[in-house]
Amino acid sequence: MESLVFFGAGPSKIPDQVLERVQDELLDYGGTGVSVMEISHRSGQFQQIITDCESRLRRLLGVPDNYRVLFMQGGATGQFAAVPLNLSLTGKADYFITGTWSKKAAAEAGRFLDVQAVLPAADRFLGIAPAAQWKLRPDADYVYYCDNETVEGVEFPNVPGTGNVPLVADMSSNILTRPVDVSKFGVIFAGAQKNMGPAGTTVVIVRDDLLSRGLKMCPSVLSYSAMAKAGSLLNTPPCFNIYVTGKVLEWVEEQGGVSEMTLRSDIKSKLVYNTADSSDEFYLAPVAVDSRSRTTAQLRLGAGADLEKKFLQEAEQAGFKSLKGHRSVGGIRVALYNALTVPQIERLVAFMGAFAADNRQ
Ligand code: PMP
């Protein structure tokens, strides 16, 4: 439906062109006479699908040769456990807690390791404390952060410096929206369901030298070294999801790759934040300017919750679906992932302008 704009924060919009290609191939994959959902994960066809998917991701992100790309299960939440289980060396790790997801990750890691918070404790997450306040242990096994906090809309403007301590990043909600120098990281992981395809597979990029660490108790399905050895085929993977992910990556390449996605993310997020900042506090963007997310913009209405409710109702009637903020923080969340187009966001900000004009008190 042309006029509907879907802002689901995850699972999220998949480009229409991708859905159409999937539809075309659904009943008969590549002349096999069966659906891609039905072919064996040990077949030549699926091997080609997963190899292509990995190659595309390597090209798009410029993944160096000394990194493995794994397709794992258990979602990003599975990685909250996998990271400490795989990276423990002396049993301690430092966590930046900048929102809901890094807080959950730190709590999960605390089941296995001594976890220390890098930042001073906060009740609300509206930015990232300056580096002078960071507490980093030079002998930690790794430092963990969430590059974009999907719920609060807080995004790191730069990769935090951690010296020689391996850096781990959850990029679930901003992967492929800006360039990343993979060589700065020990591990990068991301659930597919925002910028890479349907929920069900989690991409893990891990540096080779980290594969020999970890706790003995680590289950094989969460083990980076076991998955690397098996080429991500330790057990039956979510074949269909990996196939669609490959199609999304193909689409990103056709559109112009990560540089084009970066450009579009900047344009889209500026449209939204500029509309809020120039609205005379009708709309508020509460996150500190330098750490405002380019992919999950958090907005409030200055007049409060009742008008937010009206905004969401009228937005829905106008075809803008799923703008409601996460239940834990309320407000409005504008997902600006790669599948959302610049014209769609132009339409949204026009709607925001008209709503403000009609409802200003
Ligand atoms: N990290 C981030 C940044 C997320 O946005 C989410 C989910 N929205 C998660 C982790 C958890 O992902 P999953 O539901 O795949 O476990």
Side-chain angles (χ1 to χ4, degrees):
M1 208 200 300
E2 172 98 38
S3 61
L4 190 148
V5 187
F6 181 62
F7 290 95
S12 312
K13 178 78 197 127
I14 292 175
D16 289 335
Q17 296 98 314
V18 171
L19 294 177
E20 281 159 13
R21 282 178 197 173
V22 170
Q23 186 179 38
D24 284 349
E25 294 181 344
L26 199 60
L27 296 185
D28 178 3
Y29 180 71
T32 55
V34 293
S35 170
V36 66
M37 281 189 263
E38 298 161 331
I39 57 176
S40 166
H41 60 294
R42 306 281 173 206
S43 65
Q45 286 95 350
F46 185 71
Q47 190 57 60
Q48 193 61 47
I49 287 170
I50 196 166
T51 305
D52 281 354
C53 192
E54 174 175 344
S55 310
R56 288 186 196 283
L57 200 63
R58 283 185 175 277
R59 277 200 298 274
L60 282 164
L61 293 177
V63 179
D65 289 345
N66 62 324
Y67 285 75
R68 305 297 178 95
V69 175
L70 311 175
F71 297 95
M72 297 184 70
Q73 300 186 59
T77 303
Q79 292 306 309
F80 296 170
V83 165
L85 286 167
N86 282 283
L87 299 190
S88 176
L89 202 55
T90 64
K92 52 180 184 286
D94 292 347
Y95 276 67
F96 282 91
I97 300 175
T98 54
T100 301
W101 296 110
S102 49
K103 193 173 172 186
K104 280 185 196 273
E108 186 74 354
R111 300 174 61 192
F112 309 108
L113 305 180
D114 162 31
V115 166
Q116 181 178 287
V118 176
L119 304 175
D123 298 335
R124 294 179 69 208
F125 300 106
L126 296 174
I128 299 158
Q133 294 179 27
W134 299 358
K135 277 201 294 190
L136 290 163
R137 293 178 287 189
D139 58 345
D141 294 342
Y142 63 91
V143 177
Y144 179 104
Y145 80 108
C146 178
D147 207 30
N148 184 71
E149 283 286 358
T150 320
V151 172
E152 290 81 4
V154 173
E155 184 174 36
F156 273 75
N158 308 107
V159 177
T162 55
N164 290 328
V165 180
L167 185 59
V168 176
D170 174 358
M171 294 194 186
S172 294
S173 55
N174 66 351
I175 196 161
L176 297 170
T177 68
R178 64 178 175 186
V180 51
D181 180 355
V182 175
S183 72
K184 287 186 171 164
F185 295 85
V187 173
I188 293 171
F189 70 86
Q193 66 265 31
K194 296 154 201 310
N195 267 319
M196 290 189 290
T201 190
T202 307
V203 166
V204 179
I205 302 170
V206 53
R207 207 173 63 210
D208 277 341
D209 64 289
L210 299 174
L211 292 174
S212 52
R213 298 178 169 205
L215 300 175
K216 238 181 158 171
M217 67 162 95
C218 180
S220 339
V221 285
L222 290 183
S223 161
Y224 296 159
S225 58
M227 283 304 246
K229 220 174 280 163
S232 298
L233 299 179
L234 180 82
N235 64 329
T236 317
C239 299
F240 183 69
N241 310 63
I242 293 170
Y243 156 80
V244 181
T245 295
K247 294 271 182 228
V248 173
L249 299 179
E250 179 183 31
W251 175 87
V252 175
E253 285 191 309
E254 287 166 2
Q255 296 292 306
V258 171
S259 57
E260 178 63 23
M261 295 302 136
T262 307
L263 211 67
R264 292 184 195 174
S265 298
D266 287 347
I267 295 171
K268 291 182 293 184
S269 54
K270 280 198 182 107
L271 279 168
V272 170
Y273 290 122
N274 287 347
T275 302
D277 291 343
S278 61
S279 71
D280 214 5
E281 304 205 343
F282 185 86
Y283 298 104
L284 305 172
V287 173
V289 173
D290 68 346
S291 41
R292 283 178 177 174
S293 169
R294 296 159 313 109
T295 58
T296 51
Q298 194 53 235
L299 300 179
R300 315 282 330 193
L301 260 64
D306 286 347
L307 200 59
E308 278 172 3
K309 211 165 152 194
K310 186 173 181 220
F311 174 90
L312 290 167
Q313 274 165 358
E314 291 190 17
E316 179 102 9
Q317 283 156 10
F320 302 107
K321 299 257 184 238
S322 237
L323 280 169
K324 196 167 192 278
H326 189 269
R327 61 191 181 282
S328 62
V329 294
I332 295 155
R333 171 169 54 181
V334 189
L336 299 164
Y337 302 133
N338 289 340
L340 276 298
T341 67
V342 172
Q344 286 174 328
I345 305 309
E346 284 169 345
R347 270 181 52 205
L348 175 71
V349 299
F351 169 82
M352 287 171 66
F355 184 85
D358 291 346
N359 292 278
R360 215 177 273 287
Q361 279 140 2

